[in-house]
Structures are given as structure tokens and as C-alpha cells.
Amino acid sequence: MTMALMKTSTLAIAAALALTACGNPNATKAQDGLQDQGRFGEPTRSVPNDGGTLKASFAPVVRTAAPAVVNISAIGTQQVRDPFWEMFGGGGVRTQRTGSIGSGVIVRSDGIVVTNSHVVQNMQQIRVTLNDRREFPARVVLADQRSDIAVLQLEGVNGSLPVVAIDTQEQLEVGDLVLAIGNPFGVGQTVTNGIISALNRTETGISDSSSFIQTDAAINPGNSGGALVDMDGDLIGINTAIFSRSGSSSGVGFAVPAQMVKQVVDSAVGGATAVIRPWLGVKADAVTSDIARSLGLERPQGVIVSQLWTRGPGERAGLREGDVITAVDGQEVNDQGGLNYRIGTLRPGAKARLTILRDGRSQTVEATVQPLPDTPAPDEATFTEGLMSGATVVNLSPALADQLGADPFAGQGVLVKAVSGRGYAARAGFRPGDLIREINGRAVTSVSGLRAALNGGPATVTIERNGQRITGRFR
């Protein structure tokens, strides 16, 4: 049986923690004059022994946050293989009512709702139902697939709506109590409690630009886009995915941190159509035990700089290949994903304080982060004849590569964005994501250059696919 990553709009955790000692077990002891201290100077745990402790409850937190957690329903499209439908020109695409598709959280009283991007992808006629049963149509203002966060605007809002405050202070610790609140399937809200199991989870396969909060709070089916709140009732994350062997509970859920959520919300409210993430211009590798020993480090920590973008923010700040970056603005980083997240939550033009190890000594450098370069300029074309017929190609820039989840350090080239099954390019074996590097031994750096190189004669084409170069000859 293999472990699978699942979005919480379709499968979910079914485990929940029992509330046993969430009150203050010291209250009675203090009244009796007893001071039973544990090994760290803190009161030891004990069985609740009075009526007040037994009635300890999360109800005040729920009353604060729950009114702003909503249900999202919509009509979506689904690709189906239906020969009868195709006889009448359906093309295999059918529209069906999907009903409830997930949860969301109101974060502004004028009707700004946060949910997951995968919840509303390919959806139309979105409707949002509040906990008090009011309904509003909604439109997608911005959907950021990299973070899996989408921002909706409710329409026809008359007056202020209940909200959950976004907490971006990052004062969380492993072991903190949390509640997961959702509104799945239109049956009403669900509330489960648990703890933060881990912070800064990056190697999840969910995204390379987010650092997730891990929790064991039970996340129910349809809870994608729901709220993860702290004991103040503030939003600390948006529930996104779980790990599960069979779809049943495994106690491993992930939430997008509030800092990333706020960045997407601010971009949407500010009128942006996409989240502009700043860049350090650094390619780095995690420090393994072997690398740590070779560098004389006491333990594996940080990321080692393996490549710097020429005249990029990192190089201008004085970084060198071989430097070990251990923290950004005091927050520890241990892999490229963690570095991307810390830099990505800053605003373009902001200064990032980097703690580095160089020649065995710790020092601090300051880098001004900037958006990724968008040169060469975007130029998209669809070929209708010849070797590349049916292929849509585009100039590759670091900005586009990052947007598509590719390596910004891939360099210049022409990226195959889409391939039609009816064109020659598909039969020749080209796939979306291929990077065309050379035609007949000459470098290809632009769409116009590709057109000029394909003159209708025999062609030897070199592409890069999944980090490997492949060369083929076509007549």
C-alpha cells in the first residue's frame, strides 16, 4: 500500500483528538496551597477533578471563527468518454452540476472569501452559503495555483459580513492547540481539534512555493479551503491536503500558512491578476550529512548556493557559490522550497536579511528581492503546418518558468506549451513542457528563431525534457 497525497475537497482525515486536559489543572491545586512542579518548572498534568475543569470547552473559539466559514458550491465541467454524446458534437465535454465543492473563509467584511484554487478550478456559477444560511453568488478574483489559494468576491453583499482575522505573526509552535473548521457538502459546519504537528513542511509534493503547517486535527471530506484557527480564533492557515493510504484518517493534514494567504489576498484586493513573487536569483541544494561534514558543520543545516543568476539580487548582495544560507529574516531554511517560500512572502523591492555561513563563520548579508526577469519578451505561436504543426510554443523566461513550475535557471529557449493530438508534433513525440534547445546544431532562443530554423527540410532537433537532452532527426 502506498502513501498518497489527497486534496481535502475529495478525501479527508477521520481522526479526532479527545479533549481531556485543556483546562487549567493547577486551579484547584493553587487553592489547596499545593505546587506540584514538573521537571521544567511547569505544573504536571492531572486528571480533571472539579466541575469547572470538566466543562472546559472550545466553544468560545468556535463562536468567534465559525460564522465566517462558508460552504462553496458550483457548476463545473468534466471530461467524459461518451460515444453517444460525441455523435451529437459533444466532443467528450459535458457540463454537470457538481453541488458542494468545498469550504471557504470570509476574511473581509465586504465579501472577500479565501478558498483553495483546486476547489474552484474550472467551475462556473459559484455560490457561497454562510453559516446563517444566507447565500451569495461569487466570482473568482484571483486563483494562484502555485500556493493553491483562490480569492472570491461575494456579489450583492449588503452590510458587513462576519470575518476571521488573518494572523501573520508566525508565533506558532509545534504542540499548539488548533481547530479545523469547514462546511462540507452543504450539511453544515464541522469542527475538529488537534495540535500543530510540524511547521515549515516543504517536501510534500503539494507545492514548491509554500511551507505548510502540519496538523493532526481531523479534516473532513469537503473541507478544502476551510479554516485552521488558533485559540484566539484567528486564521493561521487554509486546510489544503492530507496524506492517506486509503482515504481514511492518518492524522497528517496540511494547511497553507496565513502569511502566504495574506499575500494572495493583498494581490487580489490590489487589482492584480497574478501574484508577483520576488526572487533572490539563487539556486541551492539542501545540506546533507556528508556536505555538513565536508564543511565542518556540527549538523546538517541550511542550503548551499550552487548557482547565482548573473546580476540577480543574490549576486548583487554579495552572495557566492558555496555560501550556506541558514535563515531568512531569522526564519530557518533547509531546502530550496523553504528558501522560495521565505523570499516569496516578501514584497518586490523589500530587503531580505540572509544569515549565511562562509569559511566557517556566520555573517549577515542584505538582499533587495526583485520580480523574476521576464526577458525574452513573451511571444506565443501555434504552428499549423510542418514538423511543429499542432504545437503551441512560447518564449521561455525565468518569470514564465517560475509561473509554470519549471526551473527559472533553465535559460533561454522555446517551451512547448501545448500539443494537439491531431498535429504532426504529437505524432513526432513532442510533449507539453519540452524545451526546444537546438535545430540542426544551432541554438534556438526565441519563437521567431524557431520559425526561421524550420525551413521545411530535414531537421535535427534537440530538446530538454525532465533535465535530460534528447535529439531526434526528422525528414
Side-chain angles (χ1 to χ4, degrees):
M1 189 73 71
T2 58
M3 185 74 77
L5 177 69
M6 302 171 185
K7 301 297 187 182
T8 54
S9 56
T10 53
L11 293 171
I13 299 172
L17 296 178
L19 177 60
T20 55
C22 64
N24 182 0
N26 277 329
T28 303
K29 294 181 182 179
Q31 294 170 3
D32 296 338
L34 300 177
Q35 294 295 328
D36 183 8
Q37 301 293 319
R39 57 179 295 196
F40 297 108
E42 296 178 354
T44 57
R45 294 178 176 83
S46 64
V47 176
N49 56 9
D50 69 351
T53 303
L54 287 171
K55 292 180 180 179
S57 170
F58 291 123
V61 180
V62 176
R63 281 197 299 268
T64 297
V69 179
V70 301
N71 172 258
I72 299 175
S73 60
I75 291 177
T77 59
Q78 181 180 23
Q79 296 287 338
V80 296
R81 179 73 173 91
D82 188 339
F84 181 80
W85 183 260
E86 291 175 354
M87 286 174 60
F88 296 94
V93 180
R94 298 173 61 182
T95 301
Q96 64 176 30
R97 186 175 297 275
T98 57
S100 177
I101 55 176
S103 302
V105 185
I106 305 173
V107 295
R108 282 175 48 120
S109 60
D110 58 355
I112 292 293
V113 173
V114 175
T115 186
N116 285 139
S117 177
H118 75 262
V119 167
V120 296
Q121 188 174 11
N122 299 325
M123 294 296 166
Q124 298 86 38
Q125 299 182 31
I126 299 171
R127 294 195 67 82
V128 170
T129 304
L130 276 61
N131 193 30
D132 61 10
R133 302 180 66 180
R134 283 182 290 172
E135 291 188 10
F136 297 92
R139 58 182 175 84
V140 177
V141 180
L142 191 156
D144 182 51
Q145 295 185 6
R146 294 290 303 281
S147 62
D148 198 15
I149 293 296
V151 178
L152 311 181
Q153 173 66 65
L154 303 188
E155 299 177 340
V157 174
N158 184 13
S160 297
L161 297 178
V163 300
V164 174
I166 302 177
D167 184 353
T168 60
Q169 297 182 18
E170 292 194 307
Q171 295 179 342
L172 308 176
E173 293 187 21
V174 174
D176 284 351
L177 285 167
V178 293
L179 298 183
I181 308 177
N183 198 321
F185 304 126
V187 299
Q189 285 189 342
T190 61
V191 181
T192 54
N193 78 288
I195 63 169
I196 294 175
S197 306
L199 296 167
N200 304 319
R201 288 295 197 206
T202 55
E203 296 180 351
T204 60
I206 305 171
S207 168
D208 63 353
S209 64
S210 199
S211 182
F212 294 91
I213 300 169
Q214 181 181 326
T215 179
D216 68 347
I219 301 174
N220 298 293
N223 272 22
S224 270
L228 189 69
V229 301
D230 61 15
M231 292 298 100
D232 293 323
D234 294 336
L235 184 73
I236 61 170
I238 294 294
N239 298 319
T240 295
I242 64 169
F243 274 128
S244 178
R245 295 183 184 277
S246 62
S248 59
S249 171
S250 60
V252 184
F254 298 99
V256 179
Q259 191 159 354
M260 179 62 73
V261 174
K262 187 175 187 303
Q263 185 191 35
V264 180
V265 171
D266 288 347
S267 297
V269 172
T273 57
V275 178
I276 305 299
R277 290 183 174 83
W279 192 44
L280 187 60
V282 168
K283 192 172 185 178
D285 300 309
V287 174
T288 63
S289 297
D290 290 339
I291 293 175
R293 280 193 294 269
S294 69
L295 296 174
L297 303 180
E298 294 182 357
R299 63 179 179 87
Q301 59 175 318
V303 293
I304 186 167
V305 177
S306 59
Q307 193 173 348
L308 288 163
W309 189 264
T310 303
R311 295 184 298 279
E315 186 180 77
R316 291 199 301 270
L319 287 177
R320 306 174 190 169
E321 292 184 7
D323 285 345
V324 176
I325 303 173
T326 59
V328 176
D329 292 331
Q331 299 291 331
E332 186 175 291
V333 296
N334 286 305
D335 54 29
Q336 182 76 57
L339 180 63
N340 291 347
Y341 172 73
R342 288 298 165 193
I343 296 298
T345 55
L346 301 174
R347 293 180 180 275
K351 294 185 181 299
R353 185 168 46 86
L354 310 175
T355 305
I356 67 171
L357 294 175
R358 179 185 293 169
D359 300 327
R361 293 183 301 175
S362 178
Q363 55 185 283
T364 301
V365 299
E366 198 171 73
T368 301
V369 297
Q370 299 292 343
L372 282 82
D374 58 359
T375 54
D379 183 12
E380 184 173 313
T382 300
F383 285 78
T384 58
E385 58 183 16
L387 171 63
M388 300 301 298
S389 66
T392 299
V393 299
V394 63
N395 286 345
L396 183 68
S397 67
L400 177 62
D402 182 71
Q403 179 184 337
L404 298 175
D407 182 6
F409 281 80
Q412 291 184 330
V414 176
L415 184 74
V416 179
K417 189 175 180 180
V419 178
S420 169
R422 297 181 180 180
Y424 183 79
R427 296 196 297 272
F430 289 96
R431 302 177 188 171
D434 287 346
L435 186 59
I436 302 173
R437 289 294 195 185
E438 297 178 356
I439 301 289
N440 295 328
R442 293 188 176 183
V444 174
T445 60
S446 66
V447 172
S448 59
L450 176 62
R451 284 190 182 278
L454 295 173
N455 54 19
T460 300
V461 182
T462 299
I463 66 169
E464 186 174 317
R465 178 184 294 168
N466 299 327
Q468 295 184 336
R469 290 208 169 199
I470 305 171
T471 299
R473 183 168 177 79
F474 303 91
R475 295 185 179 181

